[in-house]
Amino acid sequence: MSHPGAQVPEVARLFGLSEKQLVDDLQLVWMCGLPGHTPGDLIDVSWDGGEILIDNAEAIARPLKLGVDEASALLVALRMLDELPEFQGRDVLGRVIAKLEQAAGEGAATVSSQVQVEIGAAPDAHAVITDAARRSRRLSLRYYVPGRDEITPREVDPLRVVLVDGRHYLEGWCYRAEAMRMFRVDRILDVEILDVPADPPAGAEPMDVTRGVFRPSDSDELVELELTPAGRWVAEYYPCEEVAELGEGRLRVSLRARDQSWLVRLALRLGDSGRVLSPASLAERVTATAKQALANYETA
């Protein structure tokens, strides 16, 4: 905007881009502007004859201010980053947080300060796990399995620590399961580094977590649910084998799960926005659990 008629080759050179990359970026400018999405709301750009001309872009001259929800989410994320033991540059991060709080105003700072960020149930678990993965040392840990409500001892050769859907996981070869496993860090109750080099089998490979952590198998129980419009989020949040529209916004979904206890919790969470179609044993268990919960309220 400050240099109307700038040449494509010159701008590409200044920004370290190829001319094709620059033109691809300029094509995206047509999608930018104010809400409304009509031609009059969007920025107009042309590069006919190699001269770049931008028009109807006055809106971007005004600095945009983050909303309270946006600033709060950013502050919580920065504080979470500050909790990671391997993070370097806490002084810089502290100054960024302070400046953002000042710029966002009291509302965002108050809201974000009410969110407590904790990494790991065991003290320094994340730091211990990261150190073991970096030095390739075996770990001994006690792990809480919520589906069975039990604590199990494990020895694990760590491969990496990953962040998936806002939660940290230790991925490694588990000698108890004799397979690769993902362990939620906040469910690790105790952990220590053993004086044993990590030696996972040659075929142990990290899992592709781009589609989430859970990977159902054919041996897992197949469950069929009917969902109202308020419960459609299940089809988006969990991997489903089949999704069928029933009309009026309702869905019938089929999914697999290793643990019925998890399915019971999901059904109770859905409430009247979903019901179990099959298996009958699961529907009966959900009904019995709901009745017991109601009885607890009546006697409380």
Side-chain angles (χ1 to χ4, degrees), residues 81-92:
L81 183 63
D82 189 42
E83 289 289 322
L84 299 180
E86 70 270 24
F87 179 75
Q88 303 295 322
R90 281 183 169 74
D91 292 343
V92 175

Side-chain angles (χ1 to χ4, degrees), residues 268 284-298:
L268 294 176
E284 293 169 359
R285 186 174 173 185
V286 170
T287 301
T289 305
K291 287 181 178 179
Q292 181 60 52
L294 288 174
N296 291 339
Y297 276 108
E298 291 173 358

Side-chain angles (χ1 to χ4, degrees), residues 119-133 137-144 151-158 161 170 183-194:
I119 305 294
D124 300 324
H126 197 282
V128 173
I129 293 166
T130 303
D131 182 41
R137 291 287 175 177
R138 187 168 300 171
L139 287 167
S140 172
L141 52 90
R142 291 196 311 129
Y143 187 70
Y144 174 63
I151 298 171
T152 60
R154 310 283 183 123
E155 285 196 6
V156 179
D157 285 343
V161 179
L170 160 66
F183 301 94
R184 264 179 52 173
V185 172
D186 59 350
R187 291 177 180 164
I188 296 175
L189 305 182
D190 291 299
V191 60
E192 64 174 316
I193 300 176
L194 301 178

Side-chain angles (χ1 to χ4, degrees), residues 83-188:
E83 289 289 322
L84 299 180
E86 70 270 24
F87 179 75
Q88 303 295 322
R90 281 183 169 74
D91 292 343
V92 175
L93 185 60
R95 293 197 296 271
V96 170
I97 292 174
K99 289 179 180 179
L100 182 58
E101 286 179 336
Q102 183 179 7
E106 184 177 349
T110 301
V111 170
S112 63
S113 65
Q114 295 172 349
V115 179
Q116 184 176 0
V117 178
E118 295 182 353
I119 305 294
D124 300 324
H126 197 282
V128 173
I129 293 166
T130 303
D131 182 41
R134 183 171 54 248
R135 296 195 292 123
S136 191
R137 291 287 175 177
R138 187 168 300 171
L139 287 167
S140 172
L141 52 90
R142 291 196 311 129
Y143 187 70
Y144 174 63
V145 184
R148 300 193 298 270
D149 191 27
E150 66 179 14
I151 298 171
T152 60
R154 310 283 183 123
E155 285 196 6
V156 179
D157 285 343
L159 267 70
R160 61 176 181 167
V161 179
V162 294
L163 180 66
V164 183
D165 296 329
R167 298 187 184 279
H168 282 87
Y169 292 83
L170 160 66
E171 184 176 17
W173 179 264
C174 175
Y175 285 89
R176 179 188 178 98
E178 295 186 346
M180 288 292 294
R181 287 291 185 266
M182 300 281 284
F183 301 94
R184 264 179 52 173
V185 172
D186 59 350
R187 291 177 180 164
I188 296 175

Side-chain angles (χ1 to χ4, degrees), residues 46 91 109 145 167 227 253-254 266:
S46 66
D91 292 343
V145 184
R167 298 187 184 279
L227 307 171
V253 302
S254 299
L266 174 62

